[in-house]
Every structure is written in C-alpha cells, then in structure tokens.
Amino acid sequence: MSALPQHIISDLKAVVGDQWVVVEKRAIERYLYDETAYGVRPQPAAEVVVVKPGSTEEVAEVLKVANKHKVPVYVRGGGTGLVGGAIPTKPGIVVTLERMDRVVIDSENMVAEAEAGATLGKLIEEAEKHNLMFPAHPGDEGASIGGLIACNAGGSRAVKTGVMRNYVLGLEVVLPTGEVLKLGAKTIKNNFGYNLAHLLIGSEGILGVITRAYLRLYPKWSYAATVVIPFDSRVNAFRVAKKLLFSGFIPLALEYFDRRVIENSAKYLGLQWPIKEGEYFLMVMLAEPLEDVLFLELEYIDRVAREEGSLEPFATQREDEQKTLLKIRSEIFSSLKSETFDILDTTVPLGNVDRFIEKIIDIERRYGIWLPVYGHVGDGNVHVHVLNYQGFSKDQLEKIAEDVYDAALMLGGVITGEHGIGYARKKYVKKLLGSAWVETMRKLKAALDPNNILNPDKVIPEE
Ligand SMILES: Cc1cc2nc3c(=O)[nH]c(=O)nc-3n(C[C@H](O)[C@H](O)[C@H](O)COP(=O)(O)OP(=O)(O)OC[C@H]3O[C@@H](n4cnc5c(N)ncnc54)[C@H](O)[C@@H]3O)c2cc1C
C-alpha cells in the first residue's frame, strides 16, 4: 500500500464517498503516467491517492482539503499529454474527472456544454448526432475536454477553425483554493471584464481545475474531401503548401509527412498506405457547406500541385477512406513511440517551414541519424522525433533536441506549438522566456494558489 496519511484519506472520503478514493497500488498505477516519451518522462511519486469527484462542488471540497493539509493536487484528464503535465511528481492527490463526462448539445445555438471529463471522442460523437461538428482533432480521441483546454491543444484540423482557445466560449473553473468561477457565456462575443477564461486556457493544470466548458460547434459541413498529394521532391511539397496557404485558401487541415514515417504508422495499425507513388506527401482536408465550393477547391489544389511538380494527387470524398487516412496520420506518434527518446513540438513562422526542414536534414547528416519529421505544416507546427539511437548517451540525445530547438529559434520559431511545457520542457523556460516571464508567472500563481498545491512542479521553474 502506498498512500497519504490516513487522516487526509478520511477527509477525502468524507467529500466524495469511500468508493471514489483509490489507495490500492495496482489500481493507482494507470493514473501515474501519461504519454510522454520515455526519455523525458518524470518519475511519479510513490505516495499517491486517486480521487474521483462527481461534481464541481466535490472538486471544490477536495481542493479545500488539499489546502488544509498542504498536499499537492494533480488534475488528470485522459492522460494523453506529451510533457508529463499530469504525472504526480510529488506525493499527493491525483484528481481524475472521469465521472464528470456529460455532454449536452444545444443545437439551437451550436454550442456544446461539456463536463471536463468527457473525451474528445464523445464530444465529436454527440455533436454529430445533432448534425453538428467539433472540427478540432488533436490526435488522441481519448483526451478529455479539460485536458484539451488546459493544454490549448491544436492538432491537424486547426488551420480553418483554430486551436482549443478558439472554441471555448465559457468555462467553469475551480480555483486552487476552492472558489468556483463561472466565465463567459454561450455567446460568440463577450467583452465583459478581463478574459480570465483565456488565462486558464493553456494553463496546464497549474492555475485552476476546469470542470465544464461551453464549446463552439460548427454545422456539419455536408461536403468533405481529403487529398493526398505525393511528391518526389520535398522542396516541391513545401512550395505547394506555401502557395496554397498564401493564396488565401483555408483548408481544414494541411499536413506534411514522408513515406518512411507514414508507412511505419500504417504498418503499426495493420494497414497499408494506399498511395504508391512519391516519397513526400501533403495531406489536405477540406470541409464545405456547398458541393460546388468543394469541387472548385479540389480543382484548385490539383492545378497548383501539378504546376509545382507533384505526382498524381489522390482525392477522396468517401467517409471511410478519409477516416482511414486521418487515422494513419494520427497514429504516426504512437507507431514511433517505443523507439522515441523525445517528441519535439517545434513551430516556425509559416514562411520558414521549408527552411526549418532543411536545417533538420543538416542535423541528420551531422549526426548520421534519422529524425522523423511530420506535422501540421498549415500551422508551421512540425514534430521531430529524436529516437534512441544506438551508442548515443542521454546527454547526446538531449543535445540533438537542443540543436532542433536552436534551428526553430533561429527561424523565429518556438519550442512548443501545442504540447505545452509541463514537466519535460520546464528546463528551457528561464532560458527562452526570461526571468521577467518567470517572475510574472510566479506572482500570478501565488495570487491564485497561495499554498502552491496545484500541479506544483510544472511549467514554472523552481527558484
Ligand atoms: C497519439 C497522440 C496524438 C496527439 N496529437 C496531438 C495533436 O495533434 N495536437 C495536440 O495539441 N496534442 C496532441 N496530443 C497530446 C494530448 O492529446 C493533448 O496534450 C491533450 O490536450 C491532453 O489531454 P488529456 O485530457 O489527455 O490531458 P492529461 O494528459 O490528463 O493532462 C494534461 C495537462 O492538463 C491538465 N489537466 C487535465 N485536465 C484538466 C482539468 N480538467 N483542469 C485543469 N487542468 C487539467 C493536467 O494537469 C496536465 O497538466 C497527442 C497525444 C497522443 C497520445
């Protein structure tokens, strides 16, 4: 048995009921880790209890108990995070919102009212039942609404309708000291007071516990297509990507990957990558309310691609084929995970994506290694995997990651576009964001969380 002192456990049981406080080591195991690559994943603490509140009020009371005993609290969603954000790195309480998973669709206003523990998969499914759509698609549908908002997740379908921040109309948040804040409304616009919701979006579980959200939905675009454009030359692929984006054409998604990466993912899923030609690919996803518009866009993409030297584009409007293509794309991360030291989340300004890839190739040459590269080229957000290369020490692997970061920074980029800082990227914060940022964050954190109980050793570096 590894747990906190009995008097704390008794207080927690008094709030949520005996059956919702888990202390058995084996039952706790699945709440200790997330999807962070093994090379940079922090060790969880041994003394942890898992608490499963069933309502916002219970979340608030749990936080009050934590403050009373000054015990750290780690909020957990789907555990799909990639920077160790949900890992309880100090003895404390893991709060999982898995029981709070209701989704109510207000089709009249095109808004979903979702509890934070609901999964992305459930939200998508519920919206579709009402002929509505939640377009965002950060790769793992097991991620929770709370986690997605806390990380301001992006994903492939962010070019047209944005990242999580762009969907959140309102939030219910429990502050670290237990007060409940209701922010925003079901309206598209709201200028009443400081936008505290936007402080919470992307705050990675350190400033408050998100318990509920109003999320903007879109009409289910009746006409959707996915086009995969193969190329023999990477340079041509990027020329097409730029030309499409700079012409004012806004697809739902614009992704880049190469054959080795995508075939690896297809194989991992027991599938075959259907496009036989080409070494480099752009994947364009389209969604429109009018079929004529979709056709015009398909024609336009085809023309631009061929003018810039693509091979035969593959376009499909079939839902099953589109789902399969997206699935293969989404599983690239998982297919590489067992050999991955770290997955990087570098993002560069749109015009520099091709230059960034050139720099990655230089790094590959310099070290004699393969750096799988793929991602959301439509947002300049390119993932690079540093693998566990034989004969390389941890320091050398970290140096490779830093070389990739330097390449992004030299091009005016950032080291994370969507995964966040969490634990894994904390060591770069001081260097890259500066001491004024750190001090401001510390003041904000101290104002909201005077006892430093919420996700205490994440995001903000220690003194
Ligand atoms: C296969 C795969 C593909 C992925 N693809 C993408 C992608 O394309 N784009 C992208 O952005 N991300 C992607 N991710 C990362 C991950 O899905 C996102 O970071 C997601 O937002 C994490 O949500 P979660 O519910 O799993 O959060 P968790 O991992 O449980 O937690 C993440 C952080 O959020 C905090 N948190 C969780 N719930 C709450 C809450 N209710 N209130 C306050 N804080 C909370 C936690 O404390 C932690 O700091 C991918 C992950 C995997 C495994």
Side-chain angles (χ1 to χ4, degrees):
M1 196 88 81
S2 54
L4 297 176
Q6 200 51 49
H7 64 285
I8 301 180
I9 293 171
S10 301
D11 280 1
L12 292 169
K13 284 183 173 171
V15 173
V16 294
D18 287 10
Q19 79 268 40
W20 304 119
V21 178
V22 184
V23 293
E24 294 78 24
K25 203 167 178 225
R26 275 181 54 198
I28 286 173
E29 196 69 25
R30 60 182 276 253
Y31 297 96
L32 296 182
Y33 295 98
D34 61 7
E35 291 293 331
T36 304
Y38 305 121
V40 295
R41 194 172 76 176
Q43 253 320 96
E47 303 79 15
V48 168
V49 293
V50 175
V51 177
K52 304 183 179 185
S55 67
T56 301
E57 294 69 34
E58 286 185 5
V59 172
E61 290 308 313
V62 168
L63 288 174
K64 285 179 191 164
V65 170
N67 272 287
K68 181 172 126 195
H69 298 291
K70 308 231 179 353
V71 185
V73 171
Y74 296 89
V75 192
R76 183 185 179 84
T80 69
L82 298 173
V83 288
I87 297 181
T89 41
K90 294 182 178 198
I93 304 163
V94 169
V95 171
T96 164
L97 302 186
E98 64 197 49
R99 290 173 62 211
M100 297 170 60
D101 70 343
R102 276 170 294 243
V103 176
V104 177
I105 304 294
D106 173 354
S107 48
E108 182 114 337
N109 293 304
M110 292 201 290
V111 173
E113 184 175 350
E115 285 187 316
T119 61
L120 171 65
K122 182 166 182 179
L123 174 64
I124 291 173
E125 205 179 294
E126 291 300 319
E128 277 180 3
K129 282 183 196 163
H130 293 77
N131 217 24
L132 292 168
M133 183 177 180
F134 185 72
H137 198 268
D140 193 322
E141 291 186 9
S144 70
I145 301 307
L148 290 164
I149 296 172
C151 296
N152 187 26
S156 36
R157 299 197 306 213
V159 186
K160 194 181 183 106
T161 44
V163 297
M164 281 309 289
R165 188 179 295 286
N166 303 101
Y167 292 93
V168 176
L169 304 177
L171 281 185
E172 180 182 78
V173 178
V174 183
L175 293 176
T177 37
E179 297 90 346
V180 179
L181 266 185
K182 291 185 196 276
L183 306 166
K186 287 185 183 175
T187 54
I188 306 288
K189 286 182 168 179
N190 179 352
N191 224 4
F192 197 61
Y194 288 161
N195 199 328
L196 289 178
H198 280 264
L199 181 65
L200 269 298
I201 301 166
S203 65
E204 300 187 58
I206 72 166
L207 297 182
V209 181
I210 297 157
T211 48
R212 193 186 304 267
Y214 288 146
L215 296 166
R216 183 175 187 175
L217 300 175
Y218 284 78
K220 190 160 183 267
W221 290 302
S222 310
Y223 301 97
T226 300
V227 191
V228 179
I229 317 171
F231 296 87
D232 276 337
S233 142
R234 205 185 44 253
V235 175
N236 289 353
F238 284 108
R239 205 178 295 142
V240 170
K242 263 190 186 175
K243 197 158 178 181
L244 290 175
L245 288 168
F246 285 62
S247 66
F249 160 81
I250 308 176
L252 194 58
L254 179 53
E255 296 284 303
Y256 164 80
F257 39 80
D258 67 23
R259 178 168 292 283
R260 187 167 174 187
V261 159
I262 201 74
E263 280 191 342
N264 195 54
S265 178
K267 193 168 154 211
Y268 170 80
L269 290 166
L271 297 169
Q272 280 223 320
W273 178 242
I275 291 102
K276 302 286 172 239
E277 280 191 307
E279 285 303 308
Y280 309 95
F281 302 94
L282 289 179
M283 185 165 116
V284 193
M285 296 174 69
L286 304 169
E288 296 297 345
L290 301 172
E291 196 167 26
D292 288 353
V293 176
L294 188 83
F295 285 156
L296 284 173
E297 288 181 340
L298 285 169
E299 266 174 44
Y300 178 68
I301 294 169
D302 195 77
R303 179 157 49 80
V304 170
R306 287 175 200 271
E307 275 169 12
E308 299 296 339
S310 84
L311 302 167
E312 188 69 30
F314 169 81
T316 178
Q317 281 181 263
R318 274 181 50 181
E319 204 174 328
D320 57 338
E321 287 184 343
Q322 295 191 69
K323 274 198 173 144
T324 304
L325 291 170
L326 179 61
K327 179 81 183 150
I328 298 175
R329 160 61 193 93
S330 297
E331 291 296 322
I332 292 177
F333 165 72
S334 307
S335 68
L336 290 165
K337 188 170 179 200
S338 63
E339 356 162 25
T340 294
F341 172 75
D342 195 3
I343 172 183
L344 311 184
D345 182 33
T346 34
T347 303
V348 294
L350 277 187
N352 281 343
V353 179
D354 43 355
R355 290 182 200 103
F356 179 62
I357 306 274
E358 291 299 333
K359 285 186 181 293
I360 300 302
I361 291 164
D362 275 351
I363 298 171
E364 281 182 318
R365 277 199 211 108
R366 204 148 24 94
Y367 288 93
I369 53 171
W370 174 43
L371 286 168
V373 175
Y374 59 93
H376 318 308
V377 63
D379 303 316
N381 184 195
V382 182
H383 298 306
V384 181
H385 281 242
V386 178
L387 304 179
N388 289 306
Y389 308 107
Q390 256 195 346
F392 283 67
S393 66
K394 189 166 189 269
D395 284 353
Q396 284 169 316
L397 296 174
E398 280 176 356
K399 174 74 176 70
I400 295 168
E402 282 171 25
D403 286 359
V404 175
Y405 287 159
D406 286 344
L409 296 169
M410 268 163 61
L411 294 169
V414 294
I415 73 163
T416 171
E418 54 181 19
H419 297 166
I421 296 169
Y423 189 91
R425 312 280 171 241
K426 205 172 50 164
K427 64 179 177 181
Y428 299 106
V429 165
K430 257 195 192 142
K431 184 175 153 202
L432 299 181
L433 295 172
S435 49
W437 187 93
V438 174
E439 278 317 309
T440 309
M441 281 299 288
R442 274 196 194 130
K443 283 182 201 156
L444 276 172
K445 171 80 168 153
L448 295 178
D449 187 6
N451 292 319
N452 196 25
I453 58 146
L454 205 52
N455 223 356
D457 50 354
K458 310 290 168 61
V459 183
I460 307 172
E462 286 85 26
E463 302 275 345

